Amino acid sequence: MTTTARTAERAEEDRRARETVVRADRGRIGKPKESVSLVHKLGGILPTVVLLIAVLYFLLPMVWVVFAATKSTGELFSTSAFTFGSSLIGNMTDLFAYENGSFARWLGNSFIYSIGGALLSTAVSAAAGYALALYRFPGKKAVMVGLLAGVLLPTITLAIPQYMLFAQLNLTNTYWAVLIPISITPFGIYLSYVFARGSVPQELLEAARVDGSNEGRTFVSIGLPLLFPGLVTVFLLQFIGAWNNFLLPYIMQSKSELSPITVAMFLMLNRGGSEPVLYSVAIAGALIAVIPVVIFVLVLQRFWRLDLISGSLK
């Protein structure tokens, strides 16, 4: 065999060996790719499934309330959970006639605590967050540490000390006993601080000072408009928190005419043990109590979209 033939034979053997190695590598690489794609598919489906379960968990009780509010007490315990009854108008009439129209007064108290408290809290949070984000002053780090500690501190731990303080000031059994505590919230201040850090440029403030604007006017004319989308979020969160607040008014108010709807519904359900007819009335009240929150979310959500759009344009 000539040298040329041997060289050609060795080259052919080398080529076959390389093809064998390539095919083996392709086989080994192909399987992980399939498994990786399967993992990606499961990673995309699993969060959706978890979110759907969470949606069902939160929506099913609300759907049940809608159905149950239409039923009489007898229908409530004798019919299927998700079927309509025949007593919606009767339940609503009994609800607003309960104790000479007390439900309307309790509903009004909830609006006073929620809207008034949310407005006060938003104003305080805007001013405090703006100052913490854009000014330098002695003790700022200590204030921020205290603020973060207040965010982490459960509000329930402050209920009894607040009651003792307001009792000494003779402010219990007044609207202020609820409005003052909910007007100062560390979480709202911290949110405003974050919004101010990201939305208000220092250059605008310096330009306003050069033009002779004082700090108050600069805050009102420049700071607040830039913070407005974020403050809507603070307002809505404080509104929902105050609307759902039970412990603070329960401790501070011993007069039923000052109670919000949360405390009133609790007292009504307690009486339901001796007066079963109140169960259907209380459920109708729960349906009424949800409506303002839904309306506020639907009305104010456009400001969140505005905030997202403005953030993308900056």
Side-chain angles (χ1 to χ4, degrees), residues 196-212:
R197 284 285 300 269
S199 301
V200 184
Q202 284 283 359
E203 293 78 6
L204 281 179
L205 303 184
E206 294 173 359
R209 295 187 185 108
V210 170
D211 290 340

Side-chain angles (χ1 to χ4, degrees), residues 12-279:
E12 181 65 21
E13 291 177 354
D14 291 342
R15 185 183 64 79
R16 291 176 181 176
R18 286 195 298 271
E19 289 179 354
T20 302
V21 172
V22 169
R23 284 196 296 269
D25 289 340
R26 287 177 178 174
R28 287 195 299 269
I29 294 173
K31 293 180 181 179
K33 284 185 177 179
E34 294 177 0
S35 62
V36 168
S37 63
L38 180 61
V39 170
H40 279 288
K41 290 180 180 179
L42 290 177
I45 295 173
L46 186 60
T48 304
V49 173
V50 172
L51 288 176
L52 287 176
I53 294 174
V55 169
L56 290 175
Y57 175 80
F58 288 108
L59 285 184
L60 277 179
M62 294 307 308
V63 174
W64 178 85
V65 167
V66 172
F67 285 104
T70 66
K71 299 178 181 179
S72 64
T73 303
E75 292 173 334
L76 192 62
F77 295 101
S78 61
T79 60
S80 176
F82 297 101
T83 58
F84 288 106
S86 58
S87 301
L88 176 62
I89 297 177
N91 290 339
M92 293 300 174
T93 303
D94 294 340
L95 177 65
F96 283 95
Y98 179 74
E99 291 190 354
N100 298 319
S102 295
F103 183 80
R105 182 169 61 249
W106 296 331
L107 193 62
N109 290 339
S110 290
F111 277 111
I112 291 173
Y113 294 136
S114 301
I115 296 179
L119 287 174
L120 288 173
S121 179
T122 303
V124 172
S125 299
Y130 177 87
L132 288 171
L134 301 172
Y135 292 102
R136 296 180 181 178
F137 53 88
K140 179 178 177 178
K141 290 185 178 180
V143 173
M144 289 300 302
V145 170
L147 180 64
L148 293 176
V151 171
L152 300 176
L153 185 67
T155 55
I156 191 173
T157 59
L158 301 176
I160 300 302
Q162 287 173 345
Y163 172 77
M164 300 298 294
L165 178 61
F166 280 91
Q168 292 179 0
L169 297 174
N170 294 322
L171 288 176
T172 55
N173 289 318
T174 65
Y175 287 113
W176 293 111
V178 177
L179 289 174
I180 292 176
I182 64 179
S183 65
I184 304 174
T185 55
F187 184 66
I189 294 173
Y190 183 74
L191 277 182
S192 299
Y193 164 80
V194 173
F195 285 128
R197 284 285 300 269
S199 301
V200 184
Q202 284 283 359
E203 293 78 6
L204 281 179
L205 303 184
E206 294 173 359
R209 295 187 185 108
V210 170
D211 290 340
S213 175
N214 57 44
E215 299 300 330
R217 182 180 177 185
T218 302
F219 171 66
V220 172
S221 59
I222 296 178
L224 286 181
L226 294 175
L227 290 175
F228 184 75
L231 295 181
V232 171
T233 303
V234 174
F235 174 84
L236 185 58
L237 292 176
Q238 298 305 323
F239 174 85
I240 294 175
W243 185 268
N244 296 328
N245 198 345
F246 168 79
L247 183 62
L248 185 63
Y250 181 72
I251 292 176
M252 295 291 186
Q253 315 289 19
S254 60
K255 298 179 180 179
S256 62
E257 59 266 23
L258 295 175
S259 298
I261 195 171
T262 50
V263 177
M265 299 299 296
F266 169 75
L267 298 176
M268 191 182 296
L269 285 174
N270 276 351
R271 292 183 59 180
S274 58
E275 302 178 43
V277 69
L278 291 180
Y279 283 128

